[in-house]
Amino acid sequence: MSLIQIYLDAVTHQVITREELGYLAGHHDQFDATELKLSARLETLIRSGSISVGSR
């Protein structure tokens, strides 16, 4: 699993799974600056309701 793939799937399907959120939380301390910006963008999209948490 990679952050880029998670991001692309989430944006495409407008859904992020709990497993993917778990991956993000578990690996957040290993992200580089670009990945941190991407995860912040995902957080913004989830908070705004553009991406919901669920299953695909």
Side-chain angles (χ1 to χ4, degrees):
M1 192 177 303
S2 76
L3 178 58
I4 294 170
Q5 187 60 47
I6 291 171
Y7 179 82
L8 291 174
D9 285 345
V11 171
T12 301
H13 300 285
Q14 297 178 333
V15 174
I16 190 166
T17 66
R18 294 192 186 282
E19 292 81 15
E20 292 167 338
L21 286 175
Y23 175 85
L24 292 173
H27 293 85
H28 196 263
D29 60 335
Q30 300 169 4
F31 291 164
D32 62 25
T34 303
E35 291 170 320
L36 288 173
K37 290 178 184 177
L38 198 56
S39 65
R41 178 68 180 141
L42 267 175
E43 179 184 356
T44 301
L45 291 170
I46 292 168
R47 286 180 187 248
S48 71
S50 297
I51 294 177
S52 47
V53 178
S55 60
R56 282 186 227 126

